[in-house]
Every structure is written in structure tokens, then in C-alpha cells.
Amino acid sequence: MRHFSGDFNGVRLLMEDELDLIAGGDGEDGDELPVLPEVIVVAHADHTSYYMPNHFNWGGGPGPVHNYNPEPSDAASIRVDVMINRPLTAVEQQALNDLTTSIQNTTDAIGAIPDTARVTLSNGKTVTGAELKEIWALTDFVINEAGFKYANGTDRGEANYANGNPVVSFNISTLTGYNQAEGGMNFLPLHELGHMTGAGRAEHESFSAGTSSYEQSERLANDIAWAIAAYSGEQILAAPNGGGYSPNHPLFTK
């Protein structure tokens, strides 16, 4: 059977790689494409959950979406529970999609940091690659409706270390806001991860005790986010609110 390409004034047979591409194959360069991770979506009666397998070796963006049963274990995935009982707007859904990508970026960035690499922060404490992996492996996310109030007194979100089983919560309005800023969505999980490290928790305790400021606590979490992003080459906010970044930008060293 002949396959025609172009108009009938220039008939030729399609090449084998062209036929493969039309048929849904990879073509001649298919083997060079990255293998992308899955974003698993589970619809519950009252909300939707997203799961990103936690392997610390991903590259690229989100992969295919599948229904999944049974649900993966906590240590095997990063879970995002969307506790909103209404259809999301297009802007909200895009922000949620971009959050799942930023979670994958964070897993990839943390996976690139050697366990023994460390960064020394302004409060004299250090964070290692091993600590980041340990915390991140058990971290899950909850997305709430705009206006939801948290124990920290805000209607934006919170990072709850929860005795080593961390839960990071954001209101959907926080996601859409950060998604409008260049590097904002990548910054968001890195910043909250910074708060949940031992160094971040110590600085927050100092702030609660009145021996350091809110800006100092935020700046330390920002510095951890910067150090992770700088090691992996990930783009994050250039000038975050709160305490900004330390001028010397502490970095991970092996």
C-alpha cells in the first residue's frame, strides 16, 4: 500500500520513522525523551487527591494521569488533598497543576543534594541533604478554600511538622497568587520545607519566645529555599516578602 505525503505533484513513500510517528510511536528520536513521573488522581466522595511517587530521581514535568487503586503509602508518595467541594476555576486548576509540577521539581532538587552536603544558617544551625530527604518523604499537602483560617492566625496557609509526619496547607487563593509570580510556585514548597527543618523549627521557636523576629524566621526559611534551588539550578522568587534573603546567600557544601 502506498502512503502519500504532500500534494500529488510530488508523491513519495513515507519513511519508516514517519510511519512510526503517525502510528503513535516515538520516531527516530523517541529514546532520547525523558521518562516522566506519574501524577495519580483519586476522586473521593468529598474531595480529590493527587499523588506524586517519591523516588528522588525524576526529570522533566508531570507524566500521565491515571486512576489508582490501592492508594500509595505515605512514604512512597507526596499526597495533595484538595478539600474544596466545588469545581475549580481554570486559574485555580492551573495553579494546582503547577503545584504538582513544583512538588516534582522539589523532589528532583532534593534528590540531587548528597546526604552529607550541608548548609549553615544564620542561627548557627545546619541542614543536610539527608534531613531534607527524610522530611520531604513524609510531607503531604492540603489545599483549602479561600478564607480558611489556620492555627497560626492567617488565612494563607501553614507548615505543620506534626512530630515528623509533616502537613503543608495552602488556601487556593495563596496558590493562585504565587502562581502569578515568576518562580513563585517553585518557591512555595521549598520555603515551607525550610520551616520544617530542625533549623527552621528552632528559629520559629525563638520567634514564639520573643528572642527573634518574624522576619528572621521567614528569612531563614527563604535561605534554605535559596540553597536548595541554587544547588539544583531551579528558578524561585527573586525577592520574597517577609524577610527576603540573607545578603550572603548560604549554600550547600559537600
Side-chain angles (χ1 to χ4, degrees):
M1 178 179 178
R2 291 183 179 274
H3 299 267
F4 298 102
S5 177
D7 58 37
F8 284 89
N9 293 324
V11 175
R12 69 169 176 83
L13 293 176
L14 291 180
M15 303 300 290
E16 184 178 351
D17 62 334
E18 294 172 320
L19 290 171
D20 187 42
L21 188 60
I22 291 171
D26 294 331
E28 61 183 3
D29 295 325
D31 292 339
E32 300 171 8
L33 297 175
V35 177
L36 302 180
E38 289 184 339
V39 177
I40 301 161
V41 180
V42 178
H44 300 275
D46 57 346
H47 68 279
T48 300
S49 296
Y50 294 71
Y51 299 88
M52 283 66 67
N54 187 16
H55 297 150
F56 294 116
N57 61 357
W58 299 335
V65 175
H66 296 292
N67 290 324
Y68 190 86
N69 189 22
E71 298 176 5
S73 67
D74 190 21
S77 69
I78 303 295
R79 172 174 176 160
V80 181
D81 284 330
V82 183
M83 310 301 288
I84 299 176
N85 298 318
R86 61 169 176 79
L88 298 182
T89 68
V91 170
E92 290 169 340
Q93 186 62 56
Q94 185 61 57
L96 181 61
N97 293 347
D98 291 342
L99 174 64
T100 65
T101 299
S102 76
I103 289 171
Q104 294 164 5
N105 290 343
T106 298
T107 300
D108 203 31
I110 292 170
I113 300 173
D115 287 355
T116 56
R118 64 184 60 240
V119 58
T120 302
L121 287 309
S122 58
N123 60 2
K125 297 187 178 296
T126 62
V127 174
T128 66
E131 181 187 6
L132 292 176
K133 293 182 181 76
E134 181 179 355
I135 295 171
W136 188 248
L138 294 175
T139 296
D140 294 309
F141 290 79
V142 175
I143 309 303
N144 291 306
E145 184 63 273
F148 186 90
K149 298 289 185 180
Y150 296 94
N152 62 13
T154 75
D155 59 0
R156 299 186 302 274
E158 68 176 8
N160 183 0
Y161 181 65
N163 296 315
N165 191 21
V167 177
V168 175
S169 301
F170 298 120
N171 286 359
I172 190 67
S173 51
T174 300
L175 287 190
T176 57
Y178 271 87
N179 211 33
Q180 294 173 12
E182 189 171 11
M185 194 60 81
N186 281 338
F187 170 83
L188 202 53
L190 292 178
H191 173 85
E192 300 305 334
L193 175 58
H195 277 306
M196 295 187 296
T197 62
R201 299 196 309 276
E203 192 65 29
H204 181 73
E205 289 171 5
S206 295
F207 162 54
S208 299
T211 56
S212 72
S213 67
Y214 169 80
E215 287 75 18
Q216 286 174 295
S217 179
E218 291 300 296
R219 186 181 305 118
L220 186 131
N222 292 347
D223 286 346
I224 295 171
W226 175 277
I228 297 170
Y231 197 96
S232 65
E234 187 175 355
Q235 182 183 25
I236 61 173
L237 285 176
N241 293 328
Y245 297 114
S246 294
N248 62 335
H249 285 308
L251 299 172
F252 279 95
T253 57
K254 296 180 181 180

PDB file of all heavy atoms in Angstrom, residues 113-134:
ATOM      1  N   ILE A 113      20.919  16.599  45.972  1.00  0.00           N
ATOM      2  CA  ILE A 113      21.810  17.043  47.051  1.00  0.00           C
ATOM      3  C   ILE A 113      22.334  15.819  47.797  1.00  0.00           C
ATOM      4  O   ILE A 113      21.553  15.022  48.314  1.00  0.00           O
ATOM      5  CB  ILE A 113      21.064  17.972  48.027  1.00  0.00           C
ATOM      6  CG1 ILE A 113      20.549  19.206  47.286  1.00  0.00           C
ATOM      7  CG2 ILE A 113      21.970  18.391  49.182  1.00  0.00           C
ATOM      8  CD1 ILE A 113      19.662  20.104  48.140  1.00  0.00           C
ATOM      9  N   PRO A 114      23.651  15.627  47.878  1.00  0.00           N
ATOM     10  CA  PRO A 114      24.193  14.476  48.626  1.00  0.00           C
ATOM     11  C   PRO A 114      23.735  14.495  50.079  1.00  0.00           C
ATOM     12  O   PRO A 114      23.531  15.567  50.665  1.00  0.00           O
ATOM     13  CB  PRO A 114      25.711  14.672  48.523  1.00  0.00           C
ATOM     14  CG  PRO A 114      25.911  15.532  47.317  1.00  0.00           C
ATOM     15  CD  PRO A 114      24.724  16.439  47.255  1.00  0.00           C
ATOM     16  N   ASP A 115      23.569  13.322  50.661  1.00  0.00           N
ATOM     17  CA  ASP A 115      23.105  13.234  52.046  1.00  0.00           C
ATOM     18  C   ASP A 115      24.008  14.011  52.999  1.00  0.00           C
ATOM     19  O   ASP A 115      23.542  14.595  53.979  1.00  0.00           O
ATOM     20  CB  ASP A 115      23.044  11.766  52.489  1.00  0.00           C
ATOM     21  CG  ASP A 115      21.886  11.012  51.860  1.00  0.00           C
ATOM     22  OD1 ASP A 115      21.074  11.638  51.145  1.00  0.00           O
ATOM     23  OD2 ASP A 115      21.800   9.784  52.073  1.00  0.00           O
ATOM     24  N   THR A 116      25.305  13.998  52.731  1.00  0.00           N
ATOM     25  CA  THR A 116      26.256  14.626  53.655  1.00  0.00           C
ATOM     26  C   THR A 116      26.483  16.115  53.375  1.00  0.00           C
ATOM     27  O   THR A 116      27.155  16.787  54.161  1.00  0.00           O
ATOM     28  CB  THR A 116      27.605  13.901  53.593  1.00  0.00           C
ATOM     29  OG1 THR A 116      28.069  13.891  52.228  1.00  0.00           O
ATOM     30  CG2 THR A 116      27.472  12.470  54.080  1.00  0.00           C
ATOM     31  N   ALA A 117      25.950  16.632  52.271  1.00  0.00           N
ATOM     32  CA  ALA A 117      26.089  18.069  51.993  1.00  0.00           C
ATOM     33  C   ALA A 117      25.303  18.849  53.030  1.00  0.00           C
ATOM     34  O   ALA A 117      24.245  18.413  53.493  1.00  0.00           O
ATOM     35  CB  ALA A 117      25.573  18.381  50.589  1.00  0.00           C
ATOM     36  N   ARG A 118      25.821  20.032  53.403  1.00  0.00           N
ATOM     37  CA  ARG A 118      25.150  20.801  54.442  1.00  0.00           C
ATOM     38  C   ARG A 118      25.248  22.290  54.156  1.00  0.00           C
ATOM     39  O   ARG A 118      26.158  22.769  53.490  1.00  0.00           O
ATOM     40  CB  ARG A 118      25.723  20.489  55.817  1.00  0.00           C
ATOM     41  CG  ARG A 118      27.175  20.867  56.040  1.00  0.00           C
ATOM     42  CD  ARG A 118      27.661  20.402  57.417  1.00  0.00           C
ATOM     43  NE  ARG A 118      27.569  18.969  57.589  1.00  0.00           N
ATOM     44  CZ  ARG A 118      26.825  18.383  58.543  1.00  0.00           C
ATOM     45  NH1 ARG A 118      26.147  19.115  59.399  1.00  0.00           N
ATOM     46  NH2 ARG A 118      26.796  17.076  58.633  1.00  0.00           N
ATOM     47  N   VAL A 119      24.252  23.023  54.684  1.00  0.00           N
ATOM     48  CA  VAL A 119      24.250  24.473  54.613  1.00  0.00           C
ATOM     49  C   VAL A 119      24.132  24.998  56.041  1.00  0.00           C
ATOM     50  O   VAL A 119      23.359  24.471  56.850  1.00  0.00           O
ATOM     51  CB  VAL A 119      23.097  24.999  53.729  1.00  0.00           C
ATOM     52  CG1 VAL A 119      21.731  24.534  54.222  1.00  0.00           C
ATOM     53  CG2 VAL A 119      23.127  26.527  53.643  1.00  0.00           C
ATOM     54  N   THR A 120      24.939  26.001  56.370  1.00  0.00           N
ATOM     55  CA  THR A 120      24.912  26.602  57.703  1.00  0.00           C
ATOM     56  C   THR A 120      24.136  27.908  57.650  1.00  0.00           C
ATOM     57  O   THR A 120      24.411  28.778  56.816  1.00  0.00           O
ATOM     58  CB  THR A 120      26.335  26.861  58.215  1.00  0.00           C
ATOM     59  OG1 THR A 120      27.059  25.614  58.226  1.00  0.00           O
ATOM     60  CG2 THR A 120      26.308  27.438  59.624  1.00  0.00           C
ATOM     61  N   LEU A 121      23.139  28.024  58.539  1.00  0.00           N
ATOM     62  CA  LEU A 121      22.207  29.146  58.514  1.00  0.00           C
ATOM     63  C   LEU A 121      22.589  30.237  59.501  1.00  0.00           C
ATOM     64  O   LEU A 121      23.525  30.088  60.285  1.00  0.00           O
ATOM     65  CB  LEU A 121      20.785  28.652  58.808  1.00  0.00           C
ATOM     66  CG  LEU A 121      20.040  27.862  57.715  1.00  0.00           C
ATOM     67  CD1 LEU A 121      20.064  28.598  56.379  1.00  0.00           C
ATOM     68  CD2 LEU A 121      20.595  26.462  57.578  1.00  0.00           C
ATOM     69  N   SER A 122      21.824  31.329  59.478  1.00  0.00           N
ATOM     70  CA  SER A 122      22.111  32.499  60.302  1.00  0.00           C
ATOM     71  C   SER A 122      22.013  32.206  61.795  1.00  0.00           C
ATOM     72  O   SER A 122      22.636  32.898  62.606  1.00  0.00           O
ATOM     73  CB  SER A 122      21.158  33.637  59.938  1.00  0.00           C
ATOM     74  OG  SER A 122      19.805  33.236  60.097  1.00  0.00           O
ATOM     75  N   ASN A 123      21.232  31.198  62.203  1.00  0.00           N
ATOM     76  CA  ASN A 123      21.124  30.877  63.630  1.00  0.00           C
ATOM     77  C   ASN A 123      22.186  29.865  64.074  1.00  0.00           C
ATOM     78  O   ASN A 123      22.129  29.334  65.186  1.00  0.00           O
ATOM     79  CB  ASN A 123      19.725  30.366  63.967  1.00  0.00           C
ATOM     80  CG  ASN A 123      19.334  29.095  63.211  1.00  0.00           C
ATOM     81  OD1 ASN A 123      20.127  28.557  62.434  1.00  0.00           O
ATOM     82  ND2 ASN A 123      18.112  28.636  63.421  1.00  0.00           N
ATOM     83  N   GLY A 124      23.152  29.591  63.178  1.00  0.00           N
ATOM     84  CA  GLY A 124      24.247  28.696  63.507  1.00  0.00           C
ATOM     85  C   GLY A 124      23.947  27.227  63.306  1.00  0.00           C
ATOM     86  O   GLY A 124      24.851  26.386  63.403  1.00  0.00           O
ATOM     87  N   LYS A 125      22.712  26.891  62.988  1.00  0.00           N
ATOM     88  CA  LYS A 125      22.334  25.503  62.785  1.00  0.00           C
ATOM     89  C   LYS A 125      22.538  25.112  61.323  1.00  0.00           C
ATOM     90  O   LYS A 125      22.594  25.965  60.445  1.00  0.00           O
ATOM     91  CB  LYS A 125      20.894  25.265  63.222  1.00  0.00           C
ATOM     92  CG  LYS A 125      20.680  25.500  64.715  1.00  0.00           C
ATOM     93  CD  LYS A 125      19.307  25.099  65.163  1.00  0.00           C
ATOM     94  CE  LYS A 125      19.156  25.297  66.665  1.00  0.00           C
ATOM     95  NZ  LYS A 125      20.075  24.427  67.432  1.00  0.00           N
ATOM     96  N   THR A 126      22.649  23.812  61.077  1.00  0.00           N
ATOM     97  CA  THR A 126      22.880  23.313  59.720  1.00  0.00           C
ATOM     98  C   THR A 126      21.717  22.437  59.265  1.00  0.00           C
ATOM     99  O   THR A 126      20.987  21.869  60.082  1.00  0.00           O
ATOM    100  CB  THR A 126      24.182  22.506  59.635  1.00  0.00           C
ATOM    101  OG1 THR A 126      24.084  21.365  60.484  1.00  0.00           O
ATOM    102  CG2 THR A 126      25.382  23.365  60.033  1.00  0.00           C
ATOM    103  N   VAL A 127      21.579  22.342  57.955  1.00  0.00           N
ATOM    104  CA  VAL A 127      20.618  21.444  57.320  1.00  0.00           C
ATOM    105  C   VAL A 127      21.391  20.577  56.340  1.00  0.00           C
ATOM    106  O   VAL A 127      22.208  21.094  55.566  1.00  0.00           O
ATOM    107  CB  VAL A 127      19.516  22.226  56.580  1.00  0.00           C
ATOM    108  CG1 VAL A 127      18.610  21.274  55.795  1.00  0.00           C
ATOM    109  CG2 VAL A 127      18.691  23.049  57.556  1.00  0.00           C
ATOM    110  N   THR A 128      21.158  19.271  56.368  1.00  0.00           N
ATOM    111  CA  THR A 128      21.847  18.359  55.463  1.00  0.00           C
ATOM    112  C   THR A 128      20.890  17.840  54.387  1.00  0.00           C
ATOM    113  O   THR A 128      19.661  17.907  54.533  1.00  0.00           O
ATOM    114  CB  THR A 128      22.419  17.150  56.218  1.00  0.00           C
ATOM    115  OG1 THR A 128      21.334  16.371  56.746  1.00  0.00           O
ATOM    116  CG2 THR A 128      23.333  17.598  57.349  1.00  0.00           C
ATOM    117  N   GLY A 129      21.486  17.299  53.344  1.00  0.00           N
ATOM    118  CA  GLY A 129      20.671  16.669  52.314  1.00  0.00           C
ATOM    119  C   GLY A 129      19.866  15.521  52.873  1.00  0.00           C
ATOM    120  O   GLY A 129      18.714  15.298  52.475  1.00  0.00           O
ATOM    121  N   ALA A 130      20.434  14.766  53.793  1.00  0.00           N
ATOM    122  CA  ALA A 130      19.726  13.633  54.390  1.00  0.00           C
ATOM    123  C   ALA A 130      18.501  14.092  55.164  1.00  0.00           C
ATOM    124  O   ALA A 130      17.435  13.458  55.100  1.00  0.00           O
ATOM    125  CB  ALA A 130      20.667  12.856  55.309  1.00  0.00           C
ATOM    126  N   GLU A 131      18.632  15.191  55.908  1.00  0.00           N
ATOM    127  CA  GLU A 131      17.480  15.705  56.663  1.00  0.00           C
ATOM    128  C   GLU A 131      16.367  16.140  55.720  1.00  0.00           C
ATOM    129  O   GLU A 131      15.188  15.864  55.963  1.00  0.00           O
ATOM    130  CB  GLU A 131      17.890  16.881  57.547  1.00  0.00           C
ATOM    131  CG  GLU A 131      16.710  17.418  58.365  1.00  0.00           C
ATOM    132  CD  GLU A 131      17.014  18.694  59.141  1.00  0.00           C
ATOM    133  OE1 GLU A 131      18.114  19.250  58.958  1.00  0.00           O
ATOM    134  OE2 GLU A 131      16.139  19.133  59.910  1.00  0.00           O
ATOM    135  N   LEU A 132      16.723  16.826  54.643  1.00  0.00           N
ATOM    136  CA  LEU A 132      15.707  17.266  53.684  1.00  0.00           C
ATOM    137  C   LEU A 132      14.946  16.081  53.112  1.00  0.00           C
ATOM    138  O   LEU A 132      13.712  16.105  53.011  1.00  0.00           O
ATOM    139  CB  LEU A 132      16.356  18.057  52.558  1.00  0.00           C
ATOM    140  CG  LEU A 132      16.941  19.415  52.920  1.00  0.00           C
ATOM    141  CD1 LEU A 132      17.645  20.020  51.713  1.00  0.00           C
ATOM    142  CD2 LEU A 132      15.865  20.365  53.432  1.00  0.00           C
ATOM    143  N   LYS A 133      15.658  15.029  52.726  1.00  0.00           N
ATOM    144  CA  LYS A 133      15.008  13.843  52.166  1.00  0.00           C
ATOM    145  C   LYS A 133      14.080  13.193  53.182  1.00  0.00           C
ATOM    146  O   LYS A 133      12.974  12.753  52.850  1.00  0.00           O
ATOM    147  CB  LYS A 133      16.052  12.842  51.681  1.00  0.00           C
ATOM    148  CG  LYS A 133      16.882  13.302  50.488  1.00  0.00           C
ATOM    149  CD  LYS A 133      17.839  12.198  50.064  1.00  0.00           C
ATOM    150  CE  LYS A 133      18.703  12.628  48.883  1.00  0.00           C
ATOM    151  NZ  LYS A 133      19.780  13.556  49.293  1.00  0.00           N
ATOM    152  N   GLU A 134      14.543  13.107  54.431  1.00  0.00           N
ATOM    153  CA  GLU A 134      13.748  12.468  55.479  1.00  0.00           C
ATOM    154  C   GLU A 134      12.437  13.207  55.706  1.00  0.00           C
ATOM    155  O   GLU A 134      11.368  12.590  55.834  1.00  0.00           O
ATOM    156  CB  GLU A 134      14.559  12.403  56.776  1.00  0.00           C
ATOM    157  CG  GLU A 134      13.833  11.729  57.923  1.00  0.00           C
ATOM    158  CD  GLU A 134      14.672  11.665  59.195  1.00  0.00           C
ATOM    159  OE1 GLU A 134      15.851  12.067  59.150  1.00  0.00           O
ATOM    160  OE2 GLU A 134      14.140  11.218  60.225  1.00  0.00           O
TER     161      GLU A 134
END
